[in-house]
Amino acid sequence: MSSHRSPWLKWLLLAALVLTIALGVARALNKRKLQGEAASTAAAAMQQAPVYQLTPQDVLTVQALDLAQTVGVSGALKALQTAAIKARVAGELQGLQKREGESVRAGEVVARIDSTEAQARVRQAEQQAKSAMAQVSIARRALDNNQSLVKQGFISATALETTSNNLAAAVANHQAALAALDIARKTLGDTALRSPLTGQVSARLVQNGERVAVDARVLEVVDLSGFELEAALAPADAMAVAPGQTAQLTVEGLAQPVDATVARINPSVQAGSRSVLVYLRVPAVAGMRQGLFAQGQIVTGRISAPAVPLSAVRNDKPQPYIQTVQDGKVAHVPVVPGRQGLHNGEPMLVIDGLAQAPVGTTLLRVQAGLIREGTAVTLTGTTAAGTAPAQPTPSH
C-alpha cells in the first residue's frame, strides 16, 4: 500500500509548491504596479503648478488718479550767503581766534595784520598834510601883500599873477597830502579783518604768526539762514518749469521732507552738458548744512489718468512690465516708460490707453515678488492698499 501512495504524495507536494510560487509572483507584480501608480501620481502632483495665495496687501486695483506732474531735481545745497575773509594788506597775522563752527557777527574783527608800518605811514601822511597847509598859509599871505603893492604901484600885475598861481599850487599840494592821508588811514583800517556777514566759520586757512599776502584767504564764513539748490535739467524738462512753482525735497540726514520754491531759471544753456540750471529757494531747517545732497520733485501741473505705482514696474526683462491678475492667473503686461506723477507722495506711472490693464484691473504690488507668468493665484479677503508687506505662499 505504501508503494502506491508515495507517487501521489509527491505530486501533491509539487502542486502545492507551484501554487505557492505563483501566488508569490502575483503578489510581487501587484505591489510593483501599485508602486508605479503611486510614483506616477506623485510625479503628476509635482508637475502641477502651485497655486499662490495673495493677501490684500499684495494687490491693488488700477484706478484713474489725480496726479501731480513733476520734474525730478537733485543737487547739493548751497548757503545763500557765503564770504571769504581775505587779507587786504600784506603782513604778519595776529589775533586770529575763530575756528571752524564758531559764530561771527557782521562787522566783527576776527584778526589783525601787524599795523606797525601802517601806523607809521599815517603819521608820515599827517605831517606832510600839515606841511602842505603851512605852504598854503604862506602863499595866501604873499598874495594879500602883493595885492596891496599892486594897488600902490610897487609891483607889476605879472608878479601878482605869479603869487596867485603859487597859492593855487600850494592848495593843490595840500589836497594831495590830505588824499594821501586818507589812503594811509584806509590801509591802517585794512589791517583789521572784519566779517562781512553774520554766520559760522566753515574754514580756517592760516594760523597766527604767518605772513600773508594781499588777497590771501584767512577765513570762510557761511550764513545758514537760507539755502539754495542748483539743479541741472534737460531742456525738455525745463520747458515745464517756471518761477514760483513748488517742490518737495528729501535732504540727506533729515527725517522729514523740505518744501522749496523755484526762485529763478538760468536764461542760457550750459555749453558742455546742454542742460538748463534751475535754482530752488530752500528755507533753513534745523540740522541743515551747506553741501548736503538733496533730491525731489518740482510740481509743474496736474493730470487725471489711470496710473500704477512706479515701484510695481519690473525691469528684469528687456521691456519693463507690470504683473496683473487676469482670469485667475498672473499676466505680465509690458509698459512704456513715459509720463509720471505723484499721488499722496508716491511716484506713479501713467498707463493711459493700455488695453491690457484698464481701470479695475488687479495689479500686483512690489511686495508680492516675482511670480511666473501663467501661475494660478487666489485672492484672500478684499483688496486694500497701504498695509504691511506680505509675501505670497504656495497653496497646499
Side-chain angles (χ1 to χ4, degrees):
M1 289 291 293
S2 61
S3 61
H4 289 287
R5 291 177 181 177
S6 179
W8 288 103
L9 182 59
K10 291 180 180 179
W11 284 108
L12 288 175
L13 291 175
L14 181 61
L17 179 60
V18 171
L19 181 60
T20 301
I21 293 174
L23 291 174
V25 171
R27 288 178 181 176
L29 292 175
N30 187 43
K31 183 177 181 181
R32 180 175 297 182
K33 179 180 179 181
L34 293 176
Q35 289 178 345
E37 291 178 352
S40 300
T41 303
M46 292 181 62
Q47 291 178 356
Q48 183 179 3
V51 178
Y52 279 80
Q53 291 183 349
L54 299 176
T55 66
Q57 295 82 9
D58 295 326
V59 298
L60 57 85
T61 302
V62 177
Q63 299 177 353
L65 302 174
D66 182 22
L67 304 177
Q69 288 184 294
T70 60
V71 173
V73 293
S74 63
L77 293 178
K78 296 181 180 179
L80 283 177
Q81 296 189 76
T82 61
I85 303 177
K86 299 180 179 180
R88 296 184 178 181
V89 296
E92 181 182 330
L93 187 68
Q94 300 174 345
L96 179 60
Q97 302 298 329
K98 297 293 184 179
R99 295 187 178 277
E100 292 84 353
E102 294 186 351
S103 299
V104 295
R105 301 184 309 275
E108 179 182 356
V109 176
V110 296
R112 294 184 182 275
I113 304 296
D114 183 15
S115 61
T116 303
E117 183 178 348
Q119 290 175 350
R121 290 183 183 277
V122 169
R123 292 194 299 269
Q124 180 185 28
E126 289 175 344
Q127 296 305 316
Q128 289 175 345
K130 290 180 180 180
S131 175
M133 185 63 190
Q135 293 298 323
V136 170
S137 299
I138 293 172
R140 181 168 288 115
R141 285 196 300 271
L143 179 61
D144 292 341
N145 292 335
N146 287 346
Q147 285 176 342
S148 299
L149 292 176
V150 167
K151 292 178 182 179
Q152 297 174 11
F154 291 110
I155 62 174
S156 64
T158 302
L160 178 61
E161 184 179 356
T162 301
T163 305
S164 178
N165 291 335
N166 289 338
L167 175 59
V171 171
N173 289 334
H174 180 246
Q175 295 296 328
L178 291 178
L181 176 59
D182 290 340
I183 293 175
R185 287 173 176 169
K186 181 182 182 303
T187 301
L188 178 60
D190 287 343
T191 59
L193 305 184
R194 301 177 184 274
S195 174
L197 53 85
T198 299
Q200 292 180 314
V201 176
S202 62
R204 172 171 165 160
L205 306 172
V206 295
Q207 303 299 328
N208 285 318
E210 290 187 33
R211 184 171 180 84
V212 294
V214 177
D215 286 337
R217 301 166 74 92
V218 177
L219 293 177
E220 292 183 357
V221 180
V222 296
D223 179 7
L224 301 181
S225 62
F227 293 87
E228 190 173 71
L229 174 67
E230 180 184 276
L233 300 181
D237 292 335
M239 291 293 292
V241 178
Q245 292 175 344
T246 60
Q248 192 171 67
L249 303 177
T250 301
V251 182
E252 61 175 334
L254 299 185
Q256 299 297 328
V258 179
D259 293 330
T261 305
V262 178
R264 61 191 191 280
I265 302 173
N266 196 309
S268 300
V269 175
Q270 302 303 298
S273 61
R274 307 302 301 167
S275 59
V276 178
L277 297 182
V278 176
Y279 305 90
L280 284 75
R281 186 68 54 84
V282 185
V285 177
M288 192 175 289
R289 295 288 183 267
Q290 178 168 254
L292 290 178
F293 182 76
Q295 59 182 349
Q297 305 287 333
I298 299 175
V299 178
T300 59
R302 307 195 73 86
I303 59 172
S304 180
V308 299
L310 196 60
S311 59
V313 179
R314 305 192 64 89
N315 295 283
D316 50 275
K317 290 184 179 181
Q319 182 176 354
Y321 67 95
I322 55 177
Q323 298 183 111
T324 64
V325 177
Q326 299 178 6
D327 298 328
K329 296 182 179 181
V330 173
H332 293 179
V333 179
V335 295
V336 178
R339 292 185 299 169
Q340 298 182 15
L342 291 179
H343 179 69
N344 295 332
E346 183 178 11
M348 308 290 289
L349 176 67
V350 175
I351 58 170
D352 191 13
L354 190 61
Q356 295 176 279
V359 173
T361 301
T362 301
L363 173 72
L364 270 62
R365 290 182 178 272
V366 62
Q367 57 261 35
L370 175 61
I371 301 179
R372 182 179 299 177
E373 187 171 18
T375 301
V377 294
T378 59
L379 303 179
T380 60
T382 57
T383 302
T387 53
Q391 293 295 335
T393 54
S395 176
H396 297 288

